[in-house]
Amino acid sequence: MDTIFSKIIKREIPADIVYETDEILAFKDIDPKAPVHILVIPKKPIPTINDATAEDAELIGKVILAAKDIAKSLGIAESGYRLIMNCNKDGGQTVFHLHCHLVGGRQLAWTPG
Ligand code: 5GP
């Protein structure tokens, strides 16, 4: 299914892209919740983490390692950050193309809800 993120991958809509490989894309969230708020996505359209299989293990690992590298390049590796993957309604997922939020640049509260 085509989502807003597949349109960003195909350059059909603009995004502020900060990182790209053959398999991964990362861009600034349009509605940032912190000074740094990047979305890291596999180019493969996996709708939710529920849909990931053992075949996707390496790809999802690469998403996390990309987030780590981006955090370092943006200067927040030492101060710290959070990686978040929302899943379905109760998780607050609104775009059904697997993505990892990289959030940081300020002290984050730990209050899911
Ligand atoms: P979710 O709620 O699914 O975990 O996260 C989806 C994220 O995508 C939200 O934080 C939202 O602000 C972001 N988003 C939605 N539409 C766009 C868009 O067109 N461009 C960008 N850069 N981010 C978007």
Side-chain angles (χ1 to χ4, degrees):
M1 196 187 70
D2 236 20
T3 65
I4 198 98
F5 291 174
S6 50
K7 293 191 169 87
I8 288 174
I9 293 166
K10 289 187 271 180
R11 306 312 204 255
E12 288 172 5
I13 63 166
D16 200 339
I17 292 168
V18 298
Y19 177 100
E20 182 168 24
T21 67
D22 287 353
E23 295 176 294
I24 310 285
L25 189 70
F27 48 91
K28 292 185 182 174
D29 196 293
I30 205 167
D31 181 21
K33 302 294 189 287
V36 173
H37 190 168
I38 305 292
L39 300 170
V40 188
I41 70 172
K43 290 183 178 175
K44 178 181 175 182
I46 303 166
T48 81
I49 193 69
N50 286 340
D51 302 298
T53 67
E55 219 175 76
D56 300 314
E58 190 176 343
L59 181 60
I60 292 169
K62 287 178 180 176
V63 167
I64 293 169
L65 291 175
K68 174 206 72 164
D69 289 345
I70 296 162
K72 185 163 190 203
S73 72
L74 296 178
I76 60 166
E78 297 311 317
S79 53
Y81 54 89
R82 191 168 294 156
L83 303 181
I84 304 156
M85 266 188 201
N86 296 326
C87 183
N88 280 340
K89 182 176 140 301
D90 282 1
Q93 187 175 6
T94 57
V95 178
F96 289 86
H97 181 124
L98 186 78
H99 52 280
C100 176
H101 296 256
L102 162 61
V103 183
R106 66 168 166 79
Q107 180 66 57
L108 301 169
W110 178 237
T111 51

